């Protein structure tokens, strides 16, 4: 069984951890179980160069989470982290000081930057880093070409574009985004293996990631959206919106920027033509059903409602199980 | 009063700290005291690129020691140091693992590397780092051009050249050096200010640094030896050899490589034509006197014997005071 998932950061990482646990529990006897091969296509639009080092927040969140090195409460960064380097950089007066890189995390960025400087593409660098973490999935960046999401804001400093991380981390997405642009995306090529993983998948999953700056950015790399649309595999998504609001993060601020309302139905609409199945929270079931009823041609995805809060591993496993079951059902239907 | 000193690492840094304390104690009223301007020309032959970061051990040892950030017992590296980054790099299997960079130290190398990558010359980078440490001296690298000392060895792995740091730190200089080569030195230019600091000095000092791989490397940069020979200032050196042995470090292994015996007299001979005054330890006084007596033309430096062990700041101040006094005497003689 080949499963291909698109992934942002925390939401995707937690969902994938539940998916791996569910697959392990199903074991070799089940239809979907042992012998599975999971490919995760990671968003790199959040990547940023800090202090001359290349930082890939989403790839690292997936790698650390699945590899057992994540800061559990925080959801990103390393467990048992210390901040000696950050304190020293501040003592030198080096900017930016709003990005919280810990000492353990710094080592990852040092290794990555050294390999990139030597000419290795990001996909090979990521593979090398994963050789240590053994995340249990094949993690591929969406592209080896640099793509950086920038946000156009207009505040007391005037109208300007800031790096997504600055808007998200320093400004807490509190300043309205006038527009969000994935710089470099239109010239980026999918990393080796990305299109193949989509074409050869038995199941394609959209974890509950930010539909604008995570999944949206991956789909903005020319060729990837077409590959999702063309795959023979059922495509099942998990709504990142619960009860009309993002669970964590500030996805609503991103959706507002592109004129989309913060609802499970509206996010599904963003994925029109791609999704075969769509998992929504019980609190959004009525809304989703209404949307589907309004779809005259009934071309939208099959919607299932269940509790979508990934409160612990058991709850997350149940969501992953529902996604697998829906995909299996949709596959059988074909 | 303008004082210019050449400097390696630990020995020079401690001597310079004693010099600053002595000058501060003499105050404004003395011939040599307040209003002094000290320029330190640092060896960069020990510099090495590790994990893609540029490390300048000698410059940093001087900067940390005079700036109050040194690991006091160790003599190099930062006080209160932690090693999270190093442990992580080892977990990634990244080499080399024999070089002990701490987290605080890493920050210095990250800042330096970022500035070098942006195109700033090492002299400006060093100035920027010193803006934080306020070492009380103007610290200039001997050259902005890369010079890296390599050591030719012949062991079970065959005859080959290894970076000085590998020979010094990993091999503990236990494998005999067949030769020592400062790669890049012959094409290096003195950094801005180096030749001026020598020409305009009132006193030139050679602290007790390794005569081969520290002072010797600085003097190997074309123009610097000539500038020392040509300066009108008295040049006073402090022997790094006490009782026929290096106080710390493995200078004897370096001296053997170039066929020079490990003695205060032999080191003075290496500096022939440069030194006007030479401070030796009491234990080496007879040897030094004999050497001077044998010098038919009596062209060698004026030799003074005193305790040269820099056991604490008071002892170090006394050595610096003797160097200043001898320089003053030699200046008056002219």
């Amino acid at each position: 069984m080949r499963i291909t998932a698109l992934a942002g950061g925390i939401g995707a990482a937690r969902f994938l951890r539940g998916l791996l646990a569910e697959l392990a529990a199903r074991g070799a006897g089940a239809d979907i179980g042992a012998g599975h091969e999971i490919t995760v296509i990671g968003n790199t639009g959040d990547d940023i160069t800090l202090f001359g080092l290349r930082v890939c927040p989403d790839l690292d969140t997936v790698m650390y989470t699945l590899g057992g090195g994540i800061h559990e409460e925080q959801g990103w960064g390393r467990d048992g982290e210390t901040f000696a380097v950050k304190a020293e950089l501040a003592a030198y007066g080096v900017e930016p000081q709003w990005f919280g890189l810990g000492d353990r995390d710094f080592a990852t960025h040092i290794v990555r930057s050294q390999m990139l400087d030597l000419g290795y593409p990001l996909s090979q660098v990521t593979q090398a880093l994963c050789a240590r973490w053994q995340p249990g999935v094949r993690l591929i960046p969406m592209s080896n070409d640099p793509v950086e999401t920038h946000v156009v804001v207009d505040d007391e400093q005037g109208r300007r574009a800031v790096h997504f991380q600055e808007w998200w981390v320093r400004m807490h997405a509190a300043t309205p985004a006038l527009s969000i642009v994935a710089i470099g995306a239109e010239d980026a090529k999918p990393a080796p293996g990305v299109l193949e993983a989509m074409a050869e998948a038995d199941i394609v999953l959209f974890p509950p990631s930010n539909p604008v700056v995570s999944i949206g950015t991956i789909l903005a790399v020319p060729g990837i959206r077409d590959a999702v649309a063309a795959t023979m595999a059922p495509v099942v998504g998990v709504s990142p919106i619960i009860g009309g609001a993002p669970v964590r993060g500030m996805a609503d601020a991103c959706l507002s920027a592109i004129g989309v309302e913060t609802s499970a139905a509206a996010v599904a609409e963003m994925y029109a033509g791609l999704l075969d199945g769509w998992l929504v929270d019980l609190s959004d079931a009525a809304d989703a059903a209404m949307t589907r009823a309004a779809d005259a041609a009934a071309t939208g995805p099959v919607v299932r409602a269940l509790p979508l809060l990934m409160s612990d591993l058991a709850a997350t496993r149940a969501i992953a199980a529902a996604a697998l079951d829906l995909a299996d059902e949709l596959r059988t239907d074909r």
Side-chain angles (χ1 to χ4, degrees), chain A:
Chain A
M1 182 67 58
R2 286 160 300 187
I3 301 174
T4 299
L6 308 188
I10 302 175
R14 291 194 169 164
F15 173 80
L16 290 167
R17 185 161 59 179
L19 178 68
L20 286 172
E22 175 62 18
L23 289 169
R26 294 190 177 197
D31 277 356
I32 306 174
H36 55 266
E37 186 183 295
I38 304 178
T39 301
V40 176
I41 297 165
N43 169 44
T44 58
D46 295 11
D47 293 6
I48 187 168
T49 298
L50 295 169
F51 318 114
L53 302 172
R54 192 67 179 161
V55 180
C56 301
D58 281 359
L59 293 178
D60 288 349
T61 295
V62 171
M63 182 174 78
Y64 293 158
T65 300
L66 300 185
I70 199 75
H71 186 297
E72 202 56 54
E73 293 70 41
Q74 193 171 255
W76 53 270
R78 289 295 315 282
D79 55 344
E81 193 55 289
T82 53
F83 294 88
V85 174
K86 180 177 155 73
E88 286 295 309
L89 292 174
Y92 278 114
V94 177
E95 297 290 343
Q97 293 174 17
W98 48 261
F99 203 87
L101 292 178
D103 298 328
R104 291 182 167 191
D105 204 21
F106 257 112
T108 300
H109 312 316
I110 289 170
V111 176
R112 173 186 293 120
S113 301
Q114 186 182 15
M115 289 191 70
L116 290 172
D117 285 349
L118 290 171
Y120 291 95
L122 182 60
S123 54
Q124 286 184 30
V125 174
T126 304
Q127 193 180 349
L129 294 172
C130 285
R132 168 187 175 194
W133 290 105
Q134 296 290 323
V137 303
R138 186 166 59 119
L139 178 61
I140 315 179
M142 64 188 198
S143 177
N144 282 329
D145 303 316
V147 177
E148 284 197 356
T149 303
H150 278 64
V151 179
V152 178
V153 295
D154 191 354
D155 60 11
E156 65 279 2
Q157 290 179 53
R159 189 186 180 98
R160 65 199 196 283
V162 299
H163 191 287
F164 173 74
Q165 293 295 352
E166 181 171 357
W167 181 65
W168 194 255
V169 177
R170 187 176 75 77
M171 303 166 81
H172 304 290
T175 305
L178 302 183
S179 64
I180 297 177
V181 190
I183 295 174
E186 61 193 35
D187 296 321
K189 288 180 294 298
V194 167
L195 299 184
E196 293 79 355
M198 206 55 72
E200 295 163 8
D202 297 305
I203 294 176
V204 172
L205 298 175
F206 285 15
S209 289
N210 189 308
V212 183
V213 296
S214 296
I215 306 282
T217 306
I218 299 173
L219 294 173
V221 175
I224 298 185
R225 177 179 273 271
D226 289 347
V228 177
T231 185
M232 296 302 291
V235 179
V236 174
V238 181
S239 171
I241 305 298
I242 297 186
V247 180
R248 58 179 294 160
M250 298 152 284
D252 47 337
C254 299
L255 288 165
S256 301
I258 60 166
V260 173
E261 72 166 16
T262 303
S263 75
V267 173
E269 192 57 38
M270 288 178 64
Y271 298 149
L274 302 178
L275 286 182
D276 300 302
W278 185 232
L279 300 187
V280 302
D281 189 67
L282 293 172
S283 62
D284 300 304
D287 176 40
M290 195 171 66
T291 305
R292 188 160 168 78
D295 189 335
T299 54
V302 173
V303 176
R304 289 283 153 77
L306 71 161
L308 282 194
L309 197 62
M310 298 188 288
S311 48
D312 58 21
L313 186 59
T316 310
R317 259 188 65 185
I319 299 165
L324 291 174
D325 290 344
L326 179 54
D328 208 28
E329 199 177 303
L330 291 165
R331 226 161 26 105
T332 313
D333 288 351
R334 291 192 173 189

